[in-house]
Structures are given as C-alpha cells and as structure tokens.
Amino acid sequence: MATIRDVASEAGVSVATVSRVLNGKGYVNENTRKAVEAAIRKLAYKPNEVARSLYHHQSKLIGLVIPDITNPFFPEIARGVEDFFQEEGYHVMIGNSDESREKEVNYIEAFSQHNVMGIISTSSDDISQWAGLDIPVVLLDRIQDDFPSVCADQEAGGKLAAQILLERGSRNITLMRGPHHLRTAQERFLAALTELGRSSARFQVLNTAFSYHHALETAKQLFDCYPDTDGIIAANDMVAAAVLREALARGKKIPDGLQIIGFDDIPISQLVYPALSTIHQPAYEMGMEAAKLLLECMHQQTNLKKKIKLSIAFKDRETTRKEGG
Amino acid sequence: MATIRDVASEAGVSVATVSRVLNGKGYVNENTRKAVEAAIRKLAYKPNEVARSLYHHQSKLIGLVIPDITNPFFPEIARGVEDFFQEEGYHVMIGNSDESREKEVNYIEAFSQHNVMGIISTSSDDISQWAGLDIPVVLLDRIQDDFPSVCADQEAGGKLAAQILLERGSRNITLMRGPHHLRTAQERFLAALTELGRSSARFQVLNTAFSYHHALETAKQLFDCYPDTDGIIAANDMVAAAVLREALARGKKIPDGLQIIGFDDIPISQLVYPALSTIHQPAYEMGMEAAKLLLECMHQQTNLKKKIKLSIAFKDRETTRKEGG
DNA sequence: TTGAAAGCGTTACCAC
DNA sequence: GTGGTAACGCTTTCAA
C-alpha cells in the first residue's frame, strides 16, 4: 500500500502539501495540486483511515447493536441505517447482542476502541452502560430520558390491533404476550390488554418467545388450551405466522372462524397464505430516522434529546375479516 | 479515555513496561506487574485499538460482504461468521453489495483502509477486484481457482430436487431459474435441467428474480402460463413460498395436485402451511467454515487454496408427496 | 505557497 | 528488569 510519503516523493513535494490537497484545506498552488493528484492516481493511493482516525480520534465508522440479525425485523432496520450512512461516507459495524448484556458491552467497547463516531442501539434496556461513553448514542425502539431516540408507536399499535379484532367480530380473543423484559413487547401488550378490558369480549393471555422454534410450540399449546378462540393478537409476525400455520393444520377457517393479527409487517407476512393482516412498523424508516438523528447529534456537540415517534399502520390483508363484513 | 501514558504515570513506571504487561511479553517483575494492573483497573484503561492497528498494520477486524442482509439466507451466514470470529476476539464489518460492483469495491476499500485482517465475500463473481489485495480472502458460495472457498453442493441440490419430484410422481414440471448471473442459481438450475432432460416428464422453464416482490409476480405468471403444472422446482425458498401462496390462492391441492420444492431452507420454510419441502443449504455452517478457513489463511502466510464443499440435504416436509406414495 | 516537525497511542528494539 | 525512543501514516501548526 502506498503511503502519503510515497505520493509526496513521487510528486516531488512534502507530505504536508499532499495532505493539504487530500483534505482540500490550506493554500496549494494549482500546478502542485495537479502534480500531487497525478501522483495519487499513479500510485492508486488511498489514505489510511486508521492513521487519520488515530490523529482525529474519529473515524468514518458507526456502531449498530441489534439483538439478532437473524430475526427478520432487524435487517430492515440495519439497511435503513446503512443506506443513510453510506450516503454520508460512513460505514456501519453491526453487532448481535442476543439480548445479552455482556455481548452488548463487548461490542460497545469494540466500537469505542475503534473510534466510532456514533452508536445506534436497539438492544438492552439497561442504560447504565451508555452513561460513561462520550460518543453520541441514539436509542432505537426504546426510550430513555437522557438519550435521543426513535421508536414506533407501540401503544397505538397494540390498541389498534385489539380494536380491529373487536370491530370485526371476534368475541373470544387470545392475546399473546412477548418476552416480559422487552419494553416494546410489553407496551403493545398492555395497550391491547387495556382495550380488550374495555370491551365485553372474552379474552385470555398466553406468553410466548419471539424465536420461530418457540413460536411453533406456543402455537400448538394455544389451540390445545383455547380451542374456541376466534381471534388472536400475536406478539409479532413470526409468532403470527406460526399460529396461522398451526391453525390451518387444525382445519380452522381463516378469517371466518378465526382472525389473526400480527405485528411488525416483516416481509414474510405477505408471503404466507392467507397473507397476514398486521400492524406495520416502519422498520426501514426507523433505521433511517435513527441514522439521521445520530448524524445531527454528531454534528452538534450538544446532546439533543430529541425523541422521534413514528406512527404505525394497519395492513388489512387476509387473516382479518373485511370491515363491516 | 485514559492512555497508556496515564497508566504509566499512575503506576510510576514507563510506557514500555505497561506495554509489556499488556501484551504479556518481555520480562516484568511480579510487583511492578501488580502495580501496573492496579493502575489499569483504577483508570479503567482499555488499549486503543486504532493505535495498535496503526503500528501492526493489523486490526481485530474482519470484513464480510454479502449481497443483501434483507434476504433471509444471508443473516444465517453472517451469524456463522460472526459467532466464529467472536470467539477469537475479532469483530466483523458487514457490507451489503446489492450485487453492485461499485458498492462491493467501495466496501473492500473501506475494509482495507481499516486494516481488516481478512475478508469473506459472498457477492460478485467478478474476481478482478481481489487480485491486488494483500489481505487474505475467502470466497463464500462461489469458487475461483486462485482463492480458497466454501460452498454448498449446488449441482447435487439441483439434481436432487428434480429427482425427488420425478420419483414422487410429478409429470409436468415447471423449473424456475434464478438470475442468470448468479453462479449458484445457474448451477442448481442446470443440474435440475439435466435431470429433467433425462426423464420422460414434460417440463418448462420460467425465469425469476429472488426478491419477494418479484417472486409474487412470477408466481401469478406461472399459473397463468402453465396451469397444468404438477410439480415446481423453485429457484429458492422465497420464490417457493410465493408460488405456494399463489397456488393455495388458486385452490390447488398440495402436495397431491401439485408438488413444490424449494432451495435454501430458510427459517420461514417451516413457518408456512403446508411447510415447504426444500433442499437444505447449511448456511450457518457455511459461515462458520468460511470463517475457520479464513483464520487459517490469516495464520499461515501462504495462500492455501483449499476448497470446501458442504453437502446439501433434502428436507422432506409437506409440499411433496410421501416417498413411494 | 510550501516544508519541517510535533503529536495522535501503541509497540519493539536497544541500552542500561 | 526497566526505560528511552523511533516508528506506524496522517494532520496541523508554525516558520520560512
């Protein structure tokens, strides 16, 4: 790899001059600039980011920590973040935390050691680890007083899901509740629960994890315990898909005998049959917004504690009855 | 952030000594070691990876380029790579190439500028860009004479898919062909085609892209053009799921009237109903193996051109008839 | 308009 | 055993 010194001697100038043309700052004569640029091209020189980073204590790197890239909700987010920062000349390092505090801390350290310019985290609820850091942090999918954040309106989503099922005629609803420690899952659950509580419909609650292995189990359990259920509010689309599968396997009529509503609107929800009605979270946009917000924080030194709440929307597909029908 | 100099003065020794205890090499008295370790703890000192990297021309970073993290096949691979390297104390930078040479080159440059120790690429077939690089590269899902590589046995997969459908009674098969420029897609297609050609069954070929938007379109087209098809070899599971959806929507009996076989065995193939019969590619393991191979290459200076071919397996689920049935 | 040199945080060589 | 110091590749201040 050619270094700045190689370029300097090739062009017959000092490294300082090369640096100036590289960064477009400081005076440099038009002709020497030409010479330097020629040398750069000739040697196919690329500045060493590591050296730059060492000097500036900054790099063109962004850290992103998510629970698990294998969960289809997060790649969308990651793409949003990446697509935004790509435009700005940054690169994104992704870390999977598996909801483990240890892994998350490990990534944060790695990020910090590599001088990332900012971090987006969509993982743990434990905020203590962010406190010491002097790097801007944006929280995605969770909120904390001291940090800027982006999230989707879980409460509106949970409420809407319940309303839809009720409006469209379910009278015996099973509400599935995601992992208790995930604030988002808890929020949408609570909002749906409240809505259900306000109605005269019968309902019951069933706990579930988010992994598809687990979801398949829970689905079986659901129909064993509550064979008469005629409406299911799934904790997310993975779970909804599993439930749908099990329902079809047991010969349920959907949506006439049983309505199912998911949450997230991950790509597969359009691929199953019948296509999943679901509460859409704008995952890609959330990633984009978080990235945009982070960039703002990076530019202004001040920790602007802006909170962005994106709205959700109901996707009326095939596992719910038609409105007024 | 505390630096090595802070630690040195805190412990009353020189930076050289601190460096020695940090790296566990060279002599250092037991007591001074204790003192230094105490100082490190007290200041919560973490060595600056960037400075290390600058000196060594190496970092604990690995570059991974994939076509699109949003395609469910790749997160599995990425996890394999990441889980392996995590154990070894490395961190993985992921880049989405979107099958664009420009983006891929851009990432390679970024990786190289950050002194990554090695690169795994599962993207473009254009190998020229790797040639100049003095960083070990492992190719995933493609092979090239000059590079070590890991891939699954596409030919065996394509052949197997065709055999299964034939054995289990399909006589009018639609073979879906993925993007022509993707070697893997082409290989499995060709192998299936050959197998079909050897049989007496009728068959036709239909082109498709891999995205789910596109797949849904193609699925419609398929049944419009070939309503009598009784067996479909999909280009991958996304496409298979889309086809399955459309088939069900049109009231086809599966698997009795129509068999469908996918490729990849992504998580959703077990979530749809009926569950997709498919050719399993060991994505996670492929990531792991590629990582392991890369680590070997990094340790031995020599470019070992080892090629690893992982075997595929048929997952006998619900969109194919039972054997001998 | 240009160059010399200090400094970013580490490591490793060479004295002591 | 330990410390001084050059070097890694780059940026920036200061003098010329």
Side-chain angles (χ1 to χ4, degrees), chain A residues 96-98 100-107, chain B residues 79 86:
Chain A
N96 296 108
S97 72
D98 291 323
S100 135
R101 196 180 131 69
E102 185 193 340
K103 284 196 179 187
E104 182 167 3
V105 169
N106 183 275
Y107 274 111
Chain B
R79 279 310 295 247
Q86 168 127 313

Side-chain angles (χ1 to χ4, degrees), chain B residues 32-104:
Chain B
T32 60
R33 150 168 283 112
K34 291 255 163 59
V36 170
E37 279 165 353
I40 289 178
R41 262 193 307 280
K42 179 170 173 195
L43 302 176
Y45 166 75
K46 298 279 171 195
N48 180 323
E49 280 301 320
V50 174
R52 284 189 157 165
S53 170
L54 177 59
Y55 185 89
H56 281 127
H57 297 287
Q58 302 188 347
S59 68
K60 295 296 255 181
L61 252 29
I62 300 294
L64 170 64
V65 9
I66 57 177
D68 181 8
I69 194 72
T70 265
N71 173 336
F73 183 63
F74 296 106
E76 297 284 328
I77 289 187
R79 279 310 295 247
V81 173
E82 178 167 346
D83 287 356
F84 179 86
F85 273 117
Q86 168 127 313
E87 288 295 303
E88 308 286 328
Y90 289 82
H91 290 272
V92 178
M93 293 181 65
I94 300 181
N96 295 106
S97 72
D98 292 324
E99 311 278 4
S100 134
R101 195 180 132 69
E102 185 192 342
K103 284 196 179 187
E104 184 167 2

Side-chain angles (χ1 to χ4, degrees), chain B residues 80 84 138 150 284-294 308 310:
Chain B
F84 179 86
V138 167
V150 171
Y284 184 82
E285 194 189 341
M286 287 165 70
M288 275 267 173
E289 287 298 323
K292 203 185 300 179
L293 182 52
L294 180 58
I308 297 179
L310 266 25

Side-chain angles (χ1 to χ4, degrees), chain A residues 15-280:
Chain A
V15 296
T17 304
V18 177
S19 179
R20 273 185 220 106
V21 348
L22 241 33
N23 299 290
K25 46 178 78 156
Y27 300 97
V28 33
N29 181 303
E30 202 44 38
N31 290 327
T32 60
R33 150 169 283 111
K34 291 257 164 57
V36 170
E37 279 166 352
I40 289 178
R41 262 194 307 282
K42 178 169 174 198
L43 301 177
Y45 166 76
K46 298 280 170 193
N48 180 324
E49 280 302 320
V50 173
R52 283 190 157 163
S53 170
L54 178 59
Y55 184 90
H56 281 127
H57 296 286
Q58 302 188 349
S59 68
K60 296 297 254 181
L61 251 28
I62 299 294
L64 170 64
V65 8
I66 58 178
D68 182 8
I69 194 71
T70 267
N71 174 335
F73 183 63
F74 296 106
E76 297 285 327
I77 289 187
R79 277 310 297 247
V81 172
E82 178 168 344
D83 288 355
F84 179 87
F85 273 118
Q86 168 128 314
E87 288 294 302
E88 307 286 328
Y90 289 82
H91 290 271
V92 179
M93 292 180 65
I94 301 181
N96 296 108
S97 72
D98 291 323
E99 311 278 5
S100 135
R101 196 180 131 69
E102 185 193 340
K103 284 196 179 187
E104 182 167 3
V105 169
N106 183 275
Y107 274 111
I108 296 168
E109 269 174 15
F111 291 163
S112 150
Q113 286 176 0
H114 285 287
N115 287 344
V116 301
M117 291 280 279
I119 296 181
I120 295 178
S121 169
T122 176
S123 192
S124 137
D125 267 327
D126 178 352
I127 215 64
S128 61
Q129 55 209 271
W130 304 115
L133 229 53
D134 54 352
I135 302 172
V137 174
V138 167
L139 268 22
L140 221 177
D141 224 31
R142 71 206 61 245
I143 22 182
Q144 285 283 332
D145 275 352
D146 289 339
F147 291 90
S149 63
V150 171
C151 58
D153 195 338
Q154 303 294 320
E155 289 183 27
K159 183 171 174 178
L160 186 55
Q163 282 172 342
I164 300 271
L165 248 45
L166 257 9
E167 273 173 27
R168 302 192 181 185
S170 287
R171 306 305 296 159
N172 180 6
I173 294 179
T174 302
L175 173 56
M176 302 184 78
R177 167 198 213 164
H180 181 260
H181 63 279
L182 295 182
R183 210 189 32 74
T184 50
Q186 184 66 8
E187 273 179 18
R188 66 179 89 146
F189 163 74
L190 240 34
L193 186 68
T194 305
E195 201 60 22
L196 253 23
R198 288 206 177 104
S199 81
S200 60
R202 262 208 300 153
F203 66 90
Q204 55 269 161
V205 169
L206 187 65
N207 291 324
T208 180
F210 276 168
S211 80
Y212 75 95
H213 306 89
H214 200 104
L216 246 12
E217 293 299 305
T218 316
K220 289 198 196 345
Q221 191 188 333
L222 189 158
F223 293 107
D224 287 341
C225 300
Y226 311 113
D228 297 332
T229 192
D230 68 351
I232 296 175
I233 302 175
N236 69 9
D237 284 348
M238 289 283 248
V239 172
V243 165
L244 174 60
R245 186 199 137 66
E246 187 63 23
L248 292 169
R250 297 191 182 212
K252 304 268 180 197
K253 293 278 170 255
I254 294 174
D256 293 333
L258 171 67
Q259 300 192 93
I260 301 176
I261 189 165
F263 209 107
D264 285 352
D265 194 19
I266 58 179
I268 66 160
S269 53
Q270 294 179 64
L271 238 42
V272 295
Y273 181 81
L276 265 179
S277 293
T278 189
I279 305 296
H280 172 84

